[in-house]
C-alpha cells in the first residue's frame, strides 16, 4: 500500500496506522520496542563515560555523538547512515 492509499485508508483516525501495521506485520511492535529499548540502553551506557552523548539524525542519517551537536560532525563516533535512513523534519 503506497502513501496515497494509506492516507485514504487512515483518513484522520489516529489509531488506524497502528492497526494496519499490526494487521500485516503482527510481531513488528514487539521487535520495534525491543530494538528501541536496546538503543536507549546503549546510549545510557555511553553516557556513563560521555554524559552529553546523544543520537542525531540529519539528512536521513543516524549517528551516535559523544557530545552536543554544537561540536559539529567531529562529535560523530558511529554512524549507521550507510544502511539506515531516518526521515527528519516536522509534520
Amino acid at each position: 500500500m503506497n502513501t496515497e492509499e494509506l492516507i485514504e485508508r487512515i483518513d484522520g483516525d489516529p489509531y488506524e496506522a497502528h492497526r494496519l501495521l499490526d494487521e500485516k506485520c503482527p510481531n513488528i511492535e514487539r521487535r520495534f520496542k525491543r530494538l528501541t529499548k536496546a538503543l536507549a540502553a546503549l546510549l545510557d551506557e555511553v553516557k556513563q563515560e560521555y554524559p552529553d552523548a546523544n543520537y542525531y539524525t540529519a539528512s536521513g542519517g543516524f549517528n551516535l555523538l559523544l557530545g552536543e551537536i554544537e561540536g559539529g560532525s567531529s562529535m560523530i563516533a558511529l554512524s549507521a547512515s550507510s544502511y539506515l535512513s531516518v526521515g527528519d523534519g516536522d509534520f
Side-chain angles (χ1 to χ4, degrees):
M1 200 177 291
N2 66 35
T3 301
E4 201 171 284
E5 293 168 322
L6 286 167
I7 290 170
E8 286 180 27
R9 175 94 183 259
I10 293 169
D11 194 31
D13 182 344
Y15 304 105
E16 186 62 17
H18 181 267
R19 282 192 290 266
L20 288 169
L21 181 64
D22 192 51
E23 177 184 300
K24 299 291 184 181
C25 307
N27 296 317
I28 294 298
E29 181 176 10
R30 179 182 52 80
R31 290 176 54 203
F32 182 82
K33 286 181 179 178
R34 179 177 49 86
L35 291 168
T36 54
K37 285 179 181 183
L39 282 170
L42 183 135
L43 185 58
D44 286 344
E45 185 177 335
V46 172
K47 283 186 171 196
Q48 291 175 11
E49 297 295 329
Y50 304 96
D52 294 330
N54 61 82
Y55 292 118
Y56 181 72
T57 63
S59 302
F62 184 78
N63 306 287
L64 172 64
L65 277 58
L66 294 184
E68 298 292 333
I69 190 60
E70 288 81 22
S73 62
S74 63
M75 290 290 116
I76 297 174
L78 296 171
S79 180
S81 299
S82 65
Y83 56 90
L84 178 65
S85 178
V86 178
D88 24 295
D90 293 326
F91 291 111

